[in-house]
Amino acid sequence: MNVHKFVLPEIIFGNHTISQIGDCCLRLGASNVLIVSDEGILEAGWLDKVVKVCEEVGLQYTTFTDITVNPKDHEVEKGREIYLEKNCDAVIGVGGGSTIDAAKAIALLSTNGGHIRDYEGVDKIKHPLPPQIMVPTTAGSGSEVSQFSIILNTKERKKMTIISKSLIPDIAIVDPETLVTKNTHLTISTGIDVLTHGIESYISLAATPLTDVHAKNAISLVGKYLRCSVASQFNKEAKTHMAMASLQAGIAFSNAILGAVHAMSHAVGGRYPILHGDINSILLPHVMEYNLLANTDKFSDIAYLLGHKDFTISKMEAGKISIDLVKQLIVDIGAPQKLSELPVEDKEISTMSYTALHDACMLTNPRDVTVEAIEELFRKAW
């Protein structure tokens, strides 16, 4: 008999739910919170909204906004210093995946000590974390519900994957209203990240019936709503559905893990300050082609989830169509299609391939992978 484990935080979803942050902190026993965010969220006005809500319920707070794309070890350690100096007792993360990953890592260091590199890998955390409330402002990373934190080791130029049930926030507040302040490029990049999460968790070796339902819903929603979300910054219906897609994809991959796209993307992102979703956009079709042999049944499902209607063809044919549909979506929304479009040097391919092979996400890729196979995929994506 198979045993399935499935974990997730308390989830509050809906427009204007960001106003519940203060009450959520009180329910968790917090009185003095560290609010982790970034300059973009500050400029968009969402940080002021969170601060106001905290003031209304009498919470003490400190803000920390020194988080950049692909959050770095020294940023996390600076956040930990502020948390301890101000005697905080909870962490709120408000922002995209970079901010939320950093917020979780700050919470980790605040009670476990040491350096963030000490926790790379699976289940290295020994002590409980303070209460965590995460508020995503992009339909993308799913970090608000996941057991992952991805932090850049600046010395080694490598993204560290930290995986632990302890990193799952206590409460995730998903407010689609926050998405209307995102620019087109970020909407495209994070939307492709959602699709990649859905596809990779669906075909993962660790997928279960519990993760499959969320992965399939996420894939279907992206196929229906990403184009119109990109087309209009103020299409609230599309934003709401993409927020739900991101949430469900996050639930799926937190429990089923991911695959070669993310392992390779982490390797690239560790060496270059490029949006994670942009790298995924380039790699996803090539990795799908590589993995097709490993699970034609599920690749066939992906084609129908993305809108294919002909049920008379073979599963292999449908699987190939799923790749074509992903490629077409990438073209339609104007997402990157080649690594050569990005500031990436081909002389780094060998190093990045070795790094990707040893990324934790590679463990659940459905097809066996070698460093030579990864190099070939990188070159096909060039």
Side-chain angles (χ1 to χ4, degrees), residues 288-357:
M288 288 178 71
E289 288 173 350
Y290 179 81
N291 282 333
L292 176 58
L293 281 176
N295 198 331
T296 54
D297 284 1
K298 283 195 168 181
F299 275 99
S300 173
D301 293 342
I302 292 168
Y304 298 111
L305 291 167
L306 290 175
H308 185 62
K309 302 296 184 185
D310 185 354
F311 293 90
T312 65
I313 59 176
S314 70
K315 290 186 175 180
M316 178 59 78
E317 288 175 300
K320 291 177 180 178
I321 288 171
S322 75
I323 300 166
D324 292 337
L325 291 170
V326 167
K327 289 179 179 177
Q328 188 60 55
L329 175 59
I330 289 168
V331 169
D332 289 348
I333 63 175
Q337 298 176 60
K338 296 180 180 179
L339 283 174
S340 56
E341 297 176 36
L342 305 180
V344 178
E345 298 177 282
D346 59 357
K347 67 181 182 180
E348 298 268 26
I349 286 178
S350 179
T351 300
M352 293 190 300
S353 298
Y354 180 82
T355 301
L357 184 66

Side-chain angles (χ1 to χ4, degrees), residues 189-206:
S189 186
T190 54
I192 289 296
D193 197 20
V194 174
L195 180 62
T196 308
H197 290 156
I199 290 173
E200 288 213 290
S201 59
Y202 188 50
I203 64 171
S204 165
L205 292 176

Side-chain angles (χ1 to χ4, degrees), residues 16-33:
H16 313 300
T17 50
I18 198 169
S19 63
Q20 297 188 33
I21 287 177
D23 289 337
C24 288
C25 288
L26 296 179
R27 283 200 287 118
L28 294 174
S31 60
N32 184 8
V33 299

Side-chain angles (χ1 to χ4, degrees), residues 6 23 52 56 58 64-65 93 106 133 136 163 177 200 220 246 261 283-284 291 295 308 345 347 350 353:
F6 191 79
D23 289 337
K52 181 180 179 183
E56 287 172 351
F64 175 60
T65 59
I106 290 167
I133 299 171
I163 307 174
E177 287 281 331
E200 288 213 290
S220 179
S246 178
V261 178
L283 296 175
L284 179 57
N291 282 333
N295 198 331
H308 185 62
E345 298 177 282
K347 67 181 182 180
S350 179
S353 298

